């Protein structure tokens, strides 16, 4: 395949990727956007293989590994439950970063194969590109692994902070820059391996201090990192499709992270440099506070006699897979002419758009789902707020306690409703590690149960 024809096909792939991002900006067009993305990737992969022109034994091995890896990825994506989607995304980000590191290593050890020069005499531009690609890829890999462990519950979601951590991170970042400079001037192998090693360490130290409430931003940020790593390696390989794809992923991930930080009233750099997760709440003290608890019959009575209800979904709904039962409950309430709305916080769940995806899976109408800014003023005029697993994003201390680690984060003002029904297994703190003051408000009725079981019991009571 000629270089001109290859460039045309890569350009077509780039256009399809842009259309994919545009489609994913709206629930109504997301399915079409996904199809554009798949088509663009199929074209890019196909023409890349056709451009090789030498169908040797090595090519056959690569094709076999490609089919094997693709099959494993497809199987995992098909089998994975929606509750585990955030850690799946983190895991896949780590593989993108690791791939960038491996390609950079291959290019550095065998530059002739990539037309970059010879060992000890690699082109300066190529050295810079592969060094940055390897560094960002290594940070993405180790950081994504830590994010995966936190999201999976293997590692605590609370921040792990030690004295001088920010200065150590700064020192490591500057060390990478200095090592890249010396690598470019001396082309000594040891500098290259030190860059990768320090980058792996920096990725760990960047994500460890970030608390659970910040994990959606972390996922978005790591997504951006993986894109920039791919773009850097794209320059090394002189592959325009990889450059375009990496730039799109990197820029869109950065923009999304900024939007989410703005919605949380947080500094983007503050989140990256340490997050805001809190200390673990004292459960014994929490249990001493007066709490009103009820059952499904109480909840059904309050909602049946309400004129308006706002549903606030959270990670607890995702864990219990309660979205379909929730939709059934809402349909029952609508039969009694009760106005229903859904309020979704920007960081509800464990990744951007987590709740929106779950609600869409249950065929919740898009025009009933509202973001924080659109619906927050409606709580004061609403009879019942039904909070199903959303903890940190409804915690009033974000507005009242300057010492709270989530102080200043905009929350859903559910406490302003006449009645609040809060479905939760226990009084345990949320993912940010802090107690929720809403549990102890006079207008709050705690419904201690599995979210799906409680919702199903409420449906029975509504129909009785």
């Amino acid at each position: 395949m000629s270089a001109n024809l290859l460039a045309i096909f890569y350009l077509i792939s780039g256009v399809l990727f842009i259309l994919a991002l545009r489609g994913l900006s709206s629930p109504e067009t997301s399915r079409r956007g996904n199809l554009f993305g798949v088509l663009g990737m199929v074209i890019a992969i196909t023409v890349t293989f056709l451009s090789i022109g030498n169908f040797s034994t090595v090519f056959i091995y690569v094709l076999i590994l490609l089919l094997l890896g693709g099959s494993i990825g497809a199987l995992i994506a098909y089998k994975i439950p929606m509750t585990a989607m955030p850690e799946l995304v983190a895991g896949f980000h780590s593989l993108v970063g690791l791939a960038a590191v491996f390609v950079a290593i291959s290019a550095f050890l065998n530059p002739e194969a990539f037309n970059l020069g010879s060992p000890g005499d690699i082109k300066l531009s190529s050295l810079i590109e592969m060094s940055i690609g390897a560094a960002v890829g290594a940070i993405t890999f180790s950081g994504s692994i830590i994010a995966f462990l936190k999201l999976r519950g293997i590692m605590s979601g609370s921040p792990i902070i030690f004295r001088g951590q920010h200065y150590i991170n700064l020192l490591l970042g500057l060390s990478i820059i200095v090592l890249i400079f010396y690598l470019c001037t001396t082309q000594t192998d040891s500098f290259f391996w030190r860059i990768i090693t320090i980058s792996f360490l920096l990725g760990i130290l960047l994500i460890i201090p970030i608390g659970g409430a910040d994990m959606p931003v972390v996922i978005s940020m790591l997504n951006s990192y993986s894109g920039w790593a791919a773009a850097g390696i794209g320059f090394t390989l002189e592959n325009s499709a990889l450059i375009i794809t990496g730039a799109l992923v990197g820029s869109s991930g950065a923009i999304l992270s900024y939007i989410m930080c703005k919605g949380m009233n947080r500094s983007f750099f503050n989140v990256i440099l340490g997050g805001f997760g809190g200390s673990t709440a004292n459960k014994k003290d929490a249990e001493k506070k007066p709490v009103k608890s009820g059952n499904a019959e109480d909840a059904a009575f309050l909602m049946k006699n309400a004129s308006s209800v706002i549903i606030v979904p959270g990670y607890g709904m995702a864990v219990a897979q309660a979205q379909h039962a929730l939709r059934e409950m809402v349909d029952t309430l609508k039969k009694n002419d009760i106005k229903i709305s859904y309020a979704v916080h920007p960081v509800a769940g464990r990744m951007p758009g987590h709740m929106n995806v779950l609600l869409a899976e249950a065929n919740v109408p898009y025009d009933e789902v509202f973001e924080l800014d659109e619906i927050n003023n409606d709580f004061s005029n609403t009879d019942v707020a039904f909070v199903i697993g959303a903890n940190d994003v409804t915690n009033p201390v974000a507005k009242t306690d300057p010492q709270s680690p989530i102080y200043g984060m905009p929350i859903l003002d559910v406490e302003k409703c006449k009645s609040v029904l809060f479905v939760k297994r226990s009084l345990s703190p949320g993912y940010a590690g802090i107690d929720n003051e809403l549990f102890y408000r006079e207008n709050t009725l705690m419904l201690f149960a599995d979210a799906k079981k409680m919702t199903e019991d409420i449906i029975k009571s509504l129909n009785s």
Side-chain angles (χ1 to χ4, degrees), residues 105 108-109 183 188-198:
I105 292 174
F108 183 76
L109 296 179
L183 174 65
T188 304
D189 290 2
S190 60
F191 289 130
F192 181 74
W193 298 113
R194 289 173 190 172
I195 291 170
I196 294 177
T197 302
I198 294 176

Side-chain angles (χ1 to χ4, degrees), residues 292-309 311 326 329 332-333 336 338 340 383-388 419-424 443-449 451 453-464:
K292 291 193 298 182
S293 62
N295 53 33
E297 289 77 13
D298 299 323
F301 176 81
L302 285 172
M303 287 193 284
K304 187 182 293 185
N305 290 279
S307 60
S308 58
V309 175
I311 311 293
L326 181 65
M329 184 192 80
T332 304
L333 292 173
N336 296 324
I338 299 172
I340 303 293
D383 294 322
V384 177
F386 186 77
V387 184
I388 180 165
S419 298
V420 178
L421 300 174
F422 208 120
V423 183
K424 202 172 186 296
N443 61 334
T444 299
L445 185 68
M446 298 298 299
L447 305 174
F448 294 114
K453 178 67 167 56
M454 174 57 69
T455 306
E456 290 173 343
D457 289 344
I458 292 175
I459 295 171
K460 294 177 183 177
S461 298
L462 288 172
N463 291 324
S464 61

Side-chain angles (χ1 to χ4, degrees), residues 116 121-129 181 183-185 187:
L116 305 178
D121 190 26
I122 302 174
K123 292 186 294 186
L124 177 61
S125 59
S126 298
L127 271 176
I128 296 174
E129 293 158 4
F181 171 78
L183 174 65
C184 293
T185 54
Q187 298 204 20

